[in-house]
């Protein structure tokens, strides 16, 4: 399950990866909760989603850039 944020095959929104405006006018409520140990890496310079929930004890979300959620980020596990 390890992969890049921009890999649409890792998301239920395939053929799109979650970033507001992709496609135009779309917003995303992102939940990362799949079981297992994995790393999700964001390589986009600026990633904005509507909301983000991280709720998987084995998941790690890594980014060297700005990751924003307009409503908020909910860290439950990970």
């Amino acid at each position: 399950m390890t992969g890049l944020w921009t890999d649409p095959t890792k998301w239920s929104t395939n053929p799109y990866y979650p970033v507001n405006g992709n496609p135009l006018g779309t917003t995303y409520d992102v939940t990362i909760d799949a079981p297992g140990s994995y790393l999700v890496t964001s390589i986009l310079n600026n990633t904005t989603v509507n909301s983000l929930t991280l709720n998987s004890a084995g998941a790690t979300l890594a980014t060297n850039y700005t990751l924003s959620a307009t409503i908020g980020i909910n860290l439950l596990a990970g």
Side-chain angles (χ1 to χ4, degrees):
M1 188 114 177
T2 295
L4 296 176
W5 185 282
T6 54
D7 180 354
T9 65
K10 304 291 186 191
W11 299 101
S12 63
T13 55
N14 190 4
Y16 302 103
Y17 57 87
V19 61
N20 285 357
N22 180 33
L24 187 62
T26 304
T27 59
Y28 293 90
D29 294 304
V30 176
T31 300
I32 299 172
D33 64 355
S37 294
Y38 54 94
L39 172 68
V40 178
T41 305
S42 177
I43 59 170
L44 294 174
N45 192 12
N46 291 309
T47 302
T48 301
V49 294
N50 200 44
S51 66
L52 171 65
T53 299
L54 181 61
N55 189 19
S56 178
T60 301
L61 177 60
T63 184
N64 290 329
Y65 301 99
T66 302
L67 176 59
S68 303
T70 55
I71 293 176
I73 297 174
N74 192 13
L75 301 175
L76 302 174

